[in-house]
Each structure stands twice: as structure tokens, then as C-alpha cells.
Amino acid sequence: MRAIDWAYLAGVLDSDGCISICRQLKPKRPHYTLRVFITNTSRILIDWLLTNVGGTCHISNLNAPKHHKTAWRWTLRGYGATPILRATLPYLKVKAKRAELGLQFTKTLRNNSRKLTDEELKERERLYAILKAMNTPGRVR
């Protein structure tokens, strides 16, 4: 994509997007996943994202009142989010710190099945807690 497209994507991510780390509590150890998503009522935008960036899409407001427009959620997870965070980071205004934390998290990912060390788990938990606090609605913390 051209620089202007990355800048556009950064603007959409700043306004309608979220950069988060999800935690699933497994029986022995938690599992963490980086997730970048954009929710919007424009199917044209969502299709542009799918064509130019990849990812997945689903309807995000199935239980909304009938008078609400359909909202679509485009999502990237794990390694797939890394190039997008790198490319949009120079243009982000609101979510730049979140993108930096997401990129820090991707450094803890790897392709092998070796068990994570306690230090790696602590780093993932630390980044998860910071992003969770930043994404919590309400007063600025």
C-alpha cells in the first residue's frame, strides 16, 4: 500500500479501532493473544481492509435493536497484526502508545511449541494489564 493508505488506515484505527491483548485463563497457564480490530458500519471500508490488509470480518452487533445499522468488525490477530502496527505507527495520534505496546508483545511470540518461561509470561501479563487499563472506558487513568 502507499503511504497515504497507511495514513488513512491509521486514522480509522485511531477513531474506530482497538489494539488489545486478550487473556484466556487455561487450566495451568494463561494464554495471551494480540488483537487489532476496527468496527464500522461501512461495508466498503471493511472490504477495503480485507482486500488490502487481510484479516477476518464478522457482524459485531447481532443483538442490537433493529433500527441500528449493521456494524462489521474487521480483525487481525497475533503475528498478522505486526506489519499493520509497524506501518501505521508513524501516523497514529491517539493509539500510538497502544501500537508500541502491541509491537512489544509480538516480540514475545514465536513459532515453536517450547513452553514459555516464567519471565515471558510475566512480560505478557504486564503488557496485557497496561493495555487493559488504557482501553477501559470511563475516566482517564
Side-chain angles (χ1 to χ4, degrees):
M1 289 198 313
R2 299 171 300 160
I4 195 166
D5 295 319
W6 291 117
Y8 173 74
L9 178 53
V12 174
L13 187 56
D14 265 345
S15 63
D16 295 337
C18 182
I19 301 166
S20 67
I21 298 170
C22 302
R23 179 179 66 181
Q24 294 176 321
L25 297 176
K26 301 278 185 172
K28 293 185 179 183
R29 289 185 152 198
H31 175 75
Y32 300 88
T33 306
L34 176 65
R35 186 173 66 161
V36 175
F37 64 87
I38 293 172
T39 305
N40 198 283
T41 59
S42 170
R43 185 59 202 224
I44 294 169
L45 170 64
I46 299 301
D47 287 342
W48 180 84
L49 290 165
L50 290 168
T51 300
N52 291 286
V53 183
T56 61
C57 164
H58 69 274
I59 297 173
S60 71
N61 64 340
L62 283 173
N63 298 323
K66 290 189 188 267
H67 66 277
H68 286 203
K69 285 183 174 182
T70 300
W72 302 93
R73 179 168 289 173
W74 167 83
T75 306
L76 284 174
R77 288 184 172 84
Y79 282 120
T82 306
I84 281 51
L85 293 178
R86 279 194 189 122
T88 58
L89 183 58
Y91 307 104
L92 291 169
K93 303 293 182 208
V94 177
K95 296 192 172 110
K97 181 64 176 170
R98 290 172 177 91
E100 290 169 356
L101 291 167
L103 288 169
Q104 285 179 33
F105 179 82
T106 63
K107 291 177 184 174
T108 71
L109 300 176
R110 56 184 174 304
N111 289 325
N112 63 29
S113 60
R114 179 178 62 80
K115 194 172 173 182
L116 291 172
T117 66
D118 289 338
E119 292 77 26
E120 289 168 323
L121 275 174
K122 284 179 187 175
E123 177 64 1
R124 287 184 177 193
E125 179 63 29
R126 183 184 77 80
L127 294 168
Y128 162 78
I130 293 169
L131 270 172
K132 182 178 178 184
M134 292 177 83
N135 289 329
T136 300
R139 293 184 313 157
V140 176
R141 295 177 191 349

